[in-house]
Amino acid sequence: MMSPAPDYLTAIGMTAISAFTASWVLWALGRQYWHQGISWAIGSALLYGCAYISFSLQNVLGWVELQISSKILINAAISMFTIALYQYRQSENKQRDLFILVFPILVSLLLAVVYIPDNIATFSILQSAIVIIQTLFTINVLFAMRARTPGTGWVVVTTAAFLQLIAIFPLLFTKVRPSPHLIEEATTFDILSMWLVCVVLFIKLIVSSFGFLIMLRDRQSVLEQDKAKLDYLTQLPNRAALVENLVSSIREASQQKSLLSLLVIDIDHFKKFNDNYGHLAGDQVIQQVAQILKQQCRATDLAARYGGEEFVIILPHTTLQGAEMLANRLCQIVQAHPFQLKNGEKLHVTISVGIYSDIPTPQNHWENLIEYADAAMYIAKKRGRNQAVVYQSVKNSSN
């Protein structure tokens, strides 16, 4: 009958090789994301590889120092992957990252001092519990970032984290660890548990490494798509993005029977301004007006460039009174703002604003809402500019 010990040793070695291979693939395919967590993910895979080499040597030589080092390397590898997730979130906190990296290592060293060499089995069980706690913390970080993580990469990485829990959990119930006398000391449950650890961790390494790479590429793809929806001059959403958002807002407001308000904003006398100061100066004014609009909007609002010197702001769940207050505030801020050109000259411009507010129906088209607010904006210009007019006023004036 063949001994399972050599096969077990081979399994650990293959896991180590897979870790080193994963680190190379991460570097080859993801080095452009170096400051977005990929460097920490590569470090994590390398540490896993070193840990499993220590496991292999421990299985052959039986040195307790190798067992301690392998445990500490696993602690560091899990911590580095958790830090990689924080880096992906662009969450910079050196003290937090240092604590995540150092604290599990210090606890493992303390356990080694207390339990080794007299009670190695207890040390191993407690150290497995530390790994489980670390993995649970990693899963918590993953769930906290779900809302802002597009694509399937998050699902892959989270699945890998749960696989690690499955692999480590049986080790809480077995006192046997890799050693030259494994076959004499281990029960069938012990051997099966360690085989499960090897197989699942092998899968986990591959899944988590490529999952993290998928996360980075998914986000890059979304960023490129978002960039295509930005106006090149103002970096506000362009007309296509505006229409997409407005259609979605109309559908949502009609379903919820909630108010939807719209502002159409036009810079006054812009053609004369271009004629007097040039188109480059006009572009600077458009950029500065766009910045004001963006600053005054809520997180739920959308300010977009509709075309030329005209802007649109979508205000979900906003009453007519709230829309009027914002429109009047924008007129005041723009009028008071000193528009500084690149030649140092300071100018003052004004805007005219048209307001539309109502509970839309499914039959409402986005063009109609723009048309209503745009008609009110032209009334504002006829009345002297630098003011806001409500669409209802336009209907009343025609009666």
Side-chain angles (χ1 to χ4, degrees):
M1 181 176 178
M2 289 186 69
S3 166
D7 290 336
Y8 176 66
L9 179 61
T10 301
I12 298 176
M14 288 181 62
T15 306
I17 292 172
S18 72
F20 290 127
T21 303
S23 66
W24 180 84
V25 172
L26 285 173
W27 178 84
L29 299 181
R31 59 183 181 272
Q32 67 268 37
Y33 309 113
W34 192 256
H35 299 293
Q36 300 177 43
I38 201 70
S39 58
W40 290 91
I42 292 171
S44 174
L46 288 172
L47 287 177
Y48 274 121
C50 293
Y52 297 131
I53 286 178
S54 291
F55 272 126
S56 299
L57 293 174
Q58 160 68 12
N59 194 69
V60 175
L61 301 175
W63 294 352
V64 69
E65 294 84 2
L66 289 172
Q67 185 169 343
I68 297 171
S69 66
S70 63
K71 302 291 187 181
I72 291 175
L73 287 169
I74 290 291
N75 292 143
I78 297 172
S79 295
M80 289 189 74
F81 192 79
T82 304
I83 296 171
L85 294 175
Y86 276 115
Q87 291 287 317
Y88 172 89
R89 292 170 56 182
Q90 298 179 333
S91 175
E92 295 286 344
N93 189 324
K94 292 183 179 179
Q95 291 181 341
R96 177 203 62 211
D97 294 346
L98 184 63
F99 177 82
I100 291 173
L101 183 61
V102 173
F103 184 72
I105 295 174
L106 292 178
V107 174
S108 292
L109 288 173
L110 179 61
L111 291 175
V113 171
V114 172
Y115 290 102
I116 292 179
D118 298 328
N119 200 338
I120 296 177
T122 302
F123 164 76
S124 297
I125 291 173
L126 291 175
Q127 212 284 329
S128 297
I130 293 173
V131 172
I132 289 175
I133 293 171
Q134 283 187 277
T135 306
L136 287 172
F137 180 76
T138 302
I139 291 172
N140 180 66
V141 173
L142 282 164
F143 276 98
M145 62 191 286
R146 177 50 176 160
R148 298 184 179 181
T149 307
T152 59
W154 179 91
V155 177
V156 175
V157 173
T158 304
T159 301
F162 279 106
L163 282 175
Q164 180 157 298
L165 275 183
I166 294 171
I168 300 299
F169 189 74
L171 297 182
L172 293 175
F173 305 98
T174 176
K175 295 184 177 182
V176 177
R177 291 297 185 269
S179 72
H181 308 291
L182 174 66
I183 190 60
E184 291 88 6
E185 300 174 355
T187 65
T188 302
F189 174 79
D190 294 328
I191 294 174
L192 289 176
S193 295
M194 286 183 280
W195 265 99
L196 179 64
V197 171
C198 289
V199 172
V200 176
L201 287 179
F202 176 85
I203 298 171
K204 179 263 175 187
L205 274 168
I206 302 301
V207 171
S208 62
S209 298
F210 286 98
F212 189 75
L213 190 60
I214 292 170
M215 280 172 55
L216 289 164
R217 294 201 165 187
D218 284 346
R219 183 171 66 181
Q220 184 65 32
S221 176
V222 170
L223 289 173
E224 289 174 357
Q225 291 175 10
D226 289 344
K227 189 175 181 181
K229 294 181 180 180
L230 291 179
D231 173 64
Y232 75 99
L233 180 63
T234 62
Q235 292 303 294
L236 292 179
N238 58 21
R239 181 169 177 150
L242 167 68
V243 172
E244 180 181 332
N245 194 281
L246 184 53
V247 169
S248 175
S249 297
I250 292 171
R251 181 172 59 251
E252 180 181 341
S254 64
Q255 291 172 350
Q256 299 178 1
K257 306 297 182 184
S258 61
L259 283 166
L260 177 65
S261 297
L262 200 70
L263 305 183
V264 171
I265 302 159
D266 191 83
I267 301 174
D268 295 331
H269 299 297
F270 191 73
K271 184 178 184 305
K272 290 183 180 179
F273 186 91
N274 270 341
D275 293 340
N276 293 334
Y277 298 98
H279 289 281
L280 291 179
D283 287 347
Q284 294 173 47
V285 170
I286 289 175
Q287 289 172 326
Q288 293 179 55
V289 169
Q291 190 63 28
I292 291 172
L293 301 184
K294 186 176 181 179
Q295 290 172 350
Q296 295 301 314
C297 283
R298 304 166 300 183
T300 55
D301 303 335
L302 179 81
R305 188 184 183 193
Y306 189 60
E309 71 277 15
E310 198 167 42
F311 302 88
V312 173
I313 299 180
I314 302 173
L315 304 169
H317 306 286
T318 304
T319 64
L320 176 58
Q321 182 182 11
E324 283 188 277
M325 288 177 61
L326 175 61
N328 290 324
R329 185 167 72 248
L330 290 173
C331 289
Q332 294 169 6
I333 292 174
V334 172
Q335 183 184 26
H337 181 79
F339 288 82
Q340 185 167 354
L341 305 182
K342 289 185 177 180
N343 62 9
E345 187 175 358
K346 292 184 179 180
L347 305 169
H348 288 274
V349 299
T350 60
I351 57 173
S352 297
V353 185
I355 307 168
Y356 173 80
S357 183
D358 201 355
I359 299 175
T361 65
Q363 290 73 37
N364 283 128
H365 296 289
W366 68 268
E367 296 98 332
N368 298 134
L369 273 64
I370 295 285
E371 180 184 350
Y372 299 151
D374 198 50
M377 183 270 293
Y378 277 106
I379 294 296
K381 287 191 176 290
K382 290 180 181 179
R383 292 179 179 177
R385 297 180 171 84
N386 190 29
Q387 59 185 284
V389 172
V390 179
Y391 175 68
Q392 184 65 38
S393 300
V394 176
K395 290 194 290 185
N396 289 342
S397 65
S398 62
N399 292 336

